[in-house]
Each structure stands twice: as structure tokens, then as C-alpha cells.
Amino acid sequence: MSRILDRAQDFHIDNFQVFSGHSSANPLEKLEGRIAAGATHDSAERCDAPKCHPETRVAVQDDLYGWILDEKSENPRKMKWVTGPAGCGKTAVMGSLADRCATNGLLGATFFFASWSTSIGRRRKTAFVTTIAHQLALHREDLQTAISTAIEKSPGIFEKNLSVQMETLVLAPLRKVVRQSDGPGLRGAIIIDGVDECEAEQYYDTTSTGLPGKPARTNAQDQLEILQVLQAASSDPSFPFRILIASRPERVFREFFDPERNPTPFAPKLDLNEDHNADKDITLFLEAQFNLIRRRYNLPPSWPPPGTIETLVENASGQFIYAATIIRVLDTDHPESPNALLEAILKMGAKVNSNPLKQLDMLYSHILESSPDPLLSVRWIRAIELLGGSRESCTFNINMLLRMDPEGNDAEHLLGNLHSLIQIPHPSDQMTTKYDFYHKSLFDFLYDPDRCGKLHLDSDQDDVFMWDRLVRACIMLVVSLQAGV
């Protein structure tokens, strides 16, 4: 490492990302070096992100889009919370709404957090304000100039807290543009999704020794900091955008948006689970997908049997993730036919209560138990999640590390039936592509013993498993090298 960096100048490393600080870089280049590019709604990293199926969630999107356009109020409430449980379609709605706003010139900026992402910028708050500022700088030339000037005047701004960054990089330039602009005013939306998935940054004092360190920050503390920064922005008279925040109803969000706890006048929250009945949309989605599957596999017009879609919609209880997972089960390579798979799903048991997690959990269990070794498959899935953030975590390297048989294909054996849960790259792409998971709700299921039951594994054994496989991999490498000699 030292020889690689011998000639390097004016740089520092933060969270495994190298940021250039060379004086020749212009302000926007410096800003671009500090963003989380994968967090924007149209990033390459989100090319497979969920979007609303055509003709579904129309009422929800129209409600939110109408709120963004509303300019009748003299003192508009510029901040709105969209909530609902995991799997109800929040990210799909936000992604589709962002596309609609972008098409109509009404998108200021987006940031899609994702704790399961391999991109660390989407898991932490570090690049949150800089990513927003960078998108705004591309919005209009006068705003770009104002933000560039702000960076030139405050070269150390990237080391400041989020509040100072928001004031310097966003609010002050906006005030300047609003004050000086003679053209059309700025308007539109800033869409922030998955704030509940933001993981806490940790700060360590490296200058002192022998002293107790700072207590670890919690995820809720960093999530609250983001909310407070956005609240300050929305309260600024010169701030022209509407802010949409989507998250699960965790305590920090419930308390922050509680009018009895927070005097800030927010727009009324939108609960996707309560305010909009999703049954009709899920029905449209399933009907369209079953039609595609029927044509693809040359199934008879009578498939699926009468009443099937109604049963699945009832079992979904408003959770799109349940319907989407079923479709992936039926439409992925599997030894059994779609008809046999559907029959197995329908035989899993009638819905016993209104809790949508019950049916989702049964579906997850059914899929995982189709593996020849379900517990080992779960251990692999958890190991893949742990390794996913490392730079070397391509599919090939993970398979080489975790395999038991140097001549076998453990990955295909264990994960071959799980394509509806995990995106497994084609063998030709495994040197450059990583495993990916369709939804974070899988890990909510796996880490909760009350939900996953006999599939639950002791978290303390994850490190033991990883070290065991690392030692085995090293031994196999030594044996291979000796055999080559």
C-alpha cells in the first residue's frame, strides 16, 4: 500500500473511499468526489430497483404529485412523511414518482438509502447533503455558480456536520439565487427514501490514549440528524422545494412527525398501509404477471384456477413484496412447473389473521426449505450479506471463500433453488458482479427467531463460520500451490 501511495499528494481516505483534494480541481469536481452516486433515483446501481407496475398505485402517486404542485397556500407545509411497513411498496412509489417529476422538470434531488447496498454511500449519512447539493447544482446555471462560490469560500465544508453543510451548500446558494433571479422560480420535489435504513457513522478520537472512547452512535441518532437538517431546510422561507421522506414507522420517525412533540407544521402524513387500499393494485399486478407467465410457459387459458388471485390478494394484506415474491418464484428457473409451484404456495395454509408478515414468513420459509440444506443456505446468505460491503466481494471470490469442496459447486447446490430471493449472477459475470438481494425484508425475517423459527441461526456463530471457511480456503490455496510446484 505504501509504495502505491508514495507519489500521491493532497488526498485522504474516508470510509474506504479516496477523496482527492488537489488544488487544481474546480469546486464542482470536488463536490462530485464527495457524493453517493448510487443513491440517486436513476443511478446504474438502482437499475433493477422496484417501480410501480403500470396502472397501479395511481391514486397514491397522484396525491403526492398534487401536493408537490400545490402553490395555493401562502405558508405551505413543505415536508411530508410517507410511511408503511416493510414490503408495502414505499420505494417503488418513490422511484416512480421521481421519474414522473424528472420527466416534467420538477425533480430537485433524490437520495435512496439502502442498508443492504454494497455502496457504502447509500448506507451512511456522510454524502447525504453533498449528493443533494450536487444534483441541485445541475438544476440551473445560476444555482451551480452559487454552490461553486460557496465551496471556494469554504474549502473545509466537506468536513463539517450536516447542518453546516446544508446551510453552506444548499440554503445560502438558494437564497442568493432567489434574491437575484428574474426568471422562473425554482420549484419541485426533493425525494428521500429509506431513511430508516441509514446506519450510524462512528467517530473515534485518535489523538488521545488511555481514555475511554465516545459511546457508539445509534442508527436513530443519525436518522434524527437527517430529519432535523431537512426540517431546517423546509422552514427556510427561500427554500422552494417540497420534501418527501419515506420510511417505515420506526419510533424516531413517529416521534419526529408527531404534532404533539414537534411544533413544526408538517403536511399530513401518508400511510400506504392505511390511507390507500392496495388490494386493487395488487390484483392488477398479479393479473398482468400471470398472463405473462401463462404465455411464456404455454399454460392453458384456465390457469391460474378460479379464485387464485383473490386468495393471493387476501393473503398479501396490502404488501406488494408478498405478491412480487410469488411472481419471482413462479417465473424463475426451477425444476418444477409454475403450476406445481403455485399449488404448493396455495397449500401453505389459509391466512389466520390480518398480519401480512405471517404469509410472507411462510413464503420465505417455503422457498428456503426447498434448498437441499436450508440451514447451510441461510448461513451462506448471512455470510454474503456480511461480505457484501467489501470491495473484493464479487460472486466468484465469495464462492471460493465459502465452499467446502474444492472441486464442487457449493453455491449452485445451496442457492440454486433460491433465485426468487437472491440475484445470482450468470457464471460468465461472477468475476465482476456481486450477489444481490431483492428485499431487505428477507433479513428482517432471518434475524428474528420468532419469525423464521427453525431457520434461525445464532448470530455469534457467523464469525466462527467465516473464520472456519477462511482457514479452509487458505489451506486449499496452499495445497493447490504445492501441487503446482
Side-chain angles (χ1 to χ4, degrees):
M1 173 69 80
S2 61
R3 283 182 291 179
I4 294 174
L5 301 177
D6 278 346
R7 299 175 183 271
Q9 297 181 4
D10 299 319
F11 74 92
H12 75 279
I13 300 176
D14 183 21
N15 287 326
F16 304 105
Q17 295 178 331
V18 179
F19 298 112
S20 172
H22 199 277
S23 59
S24 63
N26 67 46
L28 285 182
E29 288 177 343
K30 293 179 181 179
L31 180 61
E32 187 172 7
R34 297 287 185 147
I35 69 171
T40 60
H41 78 287
D42 57 354
S43 69
E45 185 174 324
R46 296 192 71 253
C47 64
D48 294 322
K51 294 289 177 66
C52 293
H53 190 269
E55 300 182 16
T56 65
R57 312 301 267 190
V58 174
V60 174
Q61 293 186 62
D62 285 348
D63 282 354
L64 296 175
Y65 191 74
W67 174 75
I68 293 168
L69 289 176
D70 182 20
E71 295 182 339
K72 297 178 181 178
S73 304
E74 292 185 6
N75 297 304
R77 299 181 178 185
K78 302 177 185 177
M79 191 164 167
K80 188 179 186 70
W81 181 33
V82 178
T83 188
C88 71
K90 297 183 297 296
T91 297
V93 170
M94 293 299 103
S96 296
L97 184 65
D99 287 343
R100 181 175 179 179
C101 289
T103 299
N104 296 325
L106 291 171
L107 189 64
T110 56
F111 199 105
F112 284 73
F113 286 96
S115 62
W116 44 266
S117 171
T118 57
S119 169
I120 196 169
R122 294 184 64 191
R123 307 202 307 264
R124 306 279 176 83
K125 69 178 184 181
T126 308
F128 175 67
V129 173
T130 52
T131 304
I132 299 298
H134 183 259
Q135 292 172 82
L136 293 178
L138 304 177
H139 206 66
R140 286 185 15 170
E141 186 173 350
D142 52 359
L143 190 53
Q144 182 179 123
T145 300
I147 293 174
S148 296
T149 301
I151 295 172
E152 288 178 332
K153 291 183 177 179
S154 304
I157 187 60
F158 303 120
E159 310 305 326
K160 303 298 183 181
N161 61 45
L162 296 189
S163 178
V164 175
Q165 287 187 9
M166 179 63 78
E167 171 61 31
T168 303
L169 297 175
V170 176
L171 296 181
L174 279 172
R175 292 189 203 106
K176 183 177 181 180
V177 167
V178 170
R179 184 173 61 250
Q180 297 178 350
S181 177
D182 295 326
L186 287 163
R187 65 171 186 159
I190 292 179
I191 297 174
I192 314 297
D193 180 73
V195 187
D196 54 296
E197 296 192 32
C198 178
E199 299 173 353
E201 292 278 6
Q202 302 300 337
Y203 307 99
Y204 301 97
D205 183 1
T206 59
T207 62
S208 60
T209 58
L211 297 175
K214 293 181 179 179
R217 283 182 67 87
T218 65
N219 292 352
Q221 285 177 311
D222 276 15
Q223 292 163 13
L224 179 60
E225 183 180 358
I226 291 170
L227 293 175
Q228 291 171 336
V229 165
L230 292 172
Q231 177 185 7
S234 69
S235 301
D236 191 298
S238 297
F239 189 77
F241 300 102
R242 302 294 172 90
I243 299 175
L244 271 174
I245 298 172
S247 79
R248 290 184 289 183
E250 310 292 5
R251 171 183 286 184
V252 64
F253 299 91
R254 296 196 312 269
E255 294 181 349
F256 182 82
F257 287 102
D258 185 348
E260 296 184 0
R261 291 173 175 266
N262 194 332
T264 300
F266 298 117
K269 76 172 182 179
L270 189 153
D271 190 322
L272 293 181
N273 204 44
E274 297 178 358
D275 299 336
H276 288 269
N277 188 328
D279 288 359
K280 180 179 178 182
D281 289 334
I282 294 176
T283 299
L284 288 172
F285 170 76
L286 288 174
E287 287 175 344
Q289 295 301 313
F290 274 121
N291 286 337
L292 290 174
I293 294 172
R294 184 168 55 246
R295 290 195 295 269
R296 183 171 297 141
Y297 294 94
N298 296 315
L299 296 168
S302 59
W303 190 89
T308 296
I309 290 179
E310 290 81 356
T311 298
L312 295 177
V313 170
E314 183 182 5
N315 289 346
S317 294
Q319 308 304 294
F320 266 89
I321 185 62
Y322 177 80
T325 303
I326 284 177
I327 295 302
R328 285 198 299 270
V329 170
L330 301 178
D331 200 28
T332 54
D333 293 333
H334 198 281
E336 296 185 72
S337 69
N339 187 51
L341 292 170
L342 180 59
E343 288 182 2
I345 291 171
L346 293 172
K347 289 178 181 178
M348 287 194 308
K351 185 161 68 68
V352 296
N353 55 40
S354 60
N355 176 15
L357 295 181
K358 180 68 175 178
Q359 286 295 319
L360 182 60
D361 293 351
M362 291 174 65
L363 182 58
Y364 280 159
S365 295
H366 175 77
I367 296 169
L368 289 166
E369 287 169 4
S370 71
S371 166
D373 190 337
L375 287 178
L376 185 55
S377 295
V378 170
R379 186 67 79 188
W380 266 62
I381 287 173
R382 289 167 58 142
I384 290 169
E385 183 205 19
L386 290 172
L387 294 167
S390 64
R391 190 172 299 172
E392 295 78 17
S393 60
C394 69
T395 300
F396 177 82
N397 288 345
I398 288 180
N399 292 346
M400 292 289 287
L401 173 63
L402 298 182
R403 67 181 182 172
M404 283 284 288
D405 182 356
E407 301 299 329
N409 190 342
D410 293 21
E412 178 60 30
H413 175 69
L414 293 170
L415 307 179
N417 288 346
L418 309 183
H419 282 258
S420 57
L421 302 179
I422 179 172
Q423 297 181 44
I424 302 175
H426 188 274
S428 62
D429 299 325
Q430 293 188 359
M431 291 290 292
T432 56
T433 309
K434 300 180 180 182
Y435 283 113
D436 201 1
F437 297 93
Y438 285 105
H439 204 274
K440 181 179 179 291
S441 64
L442 173 63
F443 295 100
D444 295 337
F445 165 76
L446 289 177
Y447 287 107
D448 187 337
D450 293 331
R451 292 181 59 189
C452 66
K454 61 184 179 182
L455 293 174
H456 182 256
L457 295 173
D458 188 349
S459 296
D460 293 339
Q461 294 301 309
D462 286 343
D463 290 341
V464 175
F465 174 77
M466 294 291 291
W467 277 110
D468 175 74
R469 292 308 167 93
L470 178 60
V471 171
R472 286 177 180 273
C474 291
I475 292 174
M476 284 191 284
L477 178 60
V478 171
V479 170
S480 176
L481 291 174
Q482 289 176 340
V485 174

